[in-house]
Amino acid sequence: VTYAVLAPLTCESRARVLEHWLRIAGECHGMNNFSSLYSIFCGINSTPVYRLKKTWALVNVSLVELFEVFSVLFAPQKNSINFRNSLNSAILPAIPHVGMFLSDLTFNEDGNATVLPCTESGFPKKINVMKLCKVAGIIERAEEFQAAEYCFHPVEGLSKYIGQFREHERDELYDLSYLREPKKSAGRKKGRIV
């Protein structure tokens, strides 16, 4: 997404591509495809795209507002509560962002001992059943999403189009961003160094 927005040479062309991705993000949201929605949002919200003030100024206001809605949805505050609520209220079929499950599993693993230590009264070590129940709950929730399927058919032209993109290094994207819309230099201040 980031490269697709940065590739066009003119601000007008970049704005049209950005609008196109925002519309696709809106469709993903409507279909409860949180995985693709999050990926598109991250690409648009990346510094190389977000900093393009001239390009953003040409984007349709309603699409900028849609981007702001997604910014609130994916805000990290309170353990991504907005995203969690949206995901939990989604009507299946839905495609969750797998990172949510992975971070929950990691948090549970790192924050809870699998074996509880011996108590002062001399009882032996015990398995932390609460931790394992939390793991089971996270996995069960992921399996709920797998139970419902979309009825999509592959579109060969679209698959080829997506397949032509390659990954770009972060520095390459930053360089391209600054090439498209250079930083304004503050200018040199006159004076002497004492």
Side-chain angles (χ1 to χ4, degrees):
V1 173
T2 304
Y3 181 78
V5 174
L6 294 172
L9 298 175
T10 66
C11 289
E12 293 80 9
S13 297
R14 284 191 299 279
R16 298 305 72 85
V17 171
L18 187 51
E19 288 177 339
H20 181 70
W21 280 110
L22 286 165
R23 285 188 192 96
I24 292 171
E27 290 296 318
C28 289
H29 188 248
M31 295 183 326
N32 292 328
N33 182 345
F34 295 100
S35 179
S36 295
L37 172 59
Y38 186 72
S39 295
I40 293 168
F41 172 77
C42 288
I44 293 171
N45 197 45
S46 68
T47 302
V49 172
Y50 192 79
R51 64 167 293 279
L52 300 174
K53 301 213 181 315
K54 293 176 185 174
T55 299
W56 278 98
L58 300 173
V59 172
N60 182 294
V61 174
S62 65
L63 293 172
V64 172
E65 290 170 354
L66 182 62
F67 176 74
E68 291 168 0
V69 167
F70 295 147
S71 295
V72 171
L73 176 65
F74 293 118
Q77 288 78 17
K78 295 185 179 178
N79 197 19
S80 303
I81 189 71
N82 296 334
F83 177 53
R84 288 177 185 280
N85 288 341
S86 187
L87 190 61
N88 289 333
S89 65
I91 297 170
L92 299 179
I95 303 173
H97 171 54
V98 71
M100 183 73 63
F101 296 106
L102 296 176
S103 63
D104 287 350
L105 288 169
T106 300
F107 182 79
N108 189 51
E109 177 63 28
D110 292 348
N112 299 295
T114 305
V115 178
L116 299 173
C118 295
T119 61
E120 289 180 16
S121 58
F123 287 111
K125 293 181 181 181
K126 295 181 181 179
I127 294 175
N128 186 348
V129 176
M130 292 301 295
K131 174 183 178 173
L132 300 178
C133 286
K134 287 179 185 179
V135 169
I138 295 166
I139 293 170
E140 284 175 3
R141 182 66 178 135
E143 287 176 335
E144 288 174 18
F145 287 102
Q146 294 176 337
E149 295 182 9
Y150 287 98
C151 295
F152 293 138
H153 302 287
V155 178
E156 188 176 330
L158 183 59
S159 296
K160 283 183 181 178
Y161 174 73
I162 292 171
Q164 77 182 3
F165 289 103
R166 65 175 181 83
E167 279 193 53
H168 295 271
E169 295 295 324
R170 185 181 64 181
D171 290 344
E172 181 184 359
L173 295 170
Y174 275 97
D175 292 345
L176 186 55
S177 178
Y178 286 108
L179 180 66
R180 297 296 186 244
E181 290 187 28
K183 236 187 220 185
K184 290 183 181 177
S185 64
R188 222 176 235 194
K189 293 185 178 183
K190 292 184 180 180
R192 11 179 238 174
I193 299 175
V194 184

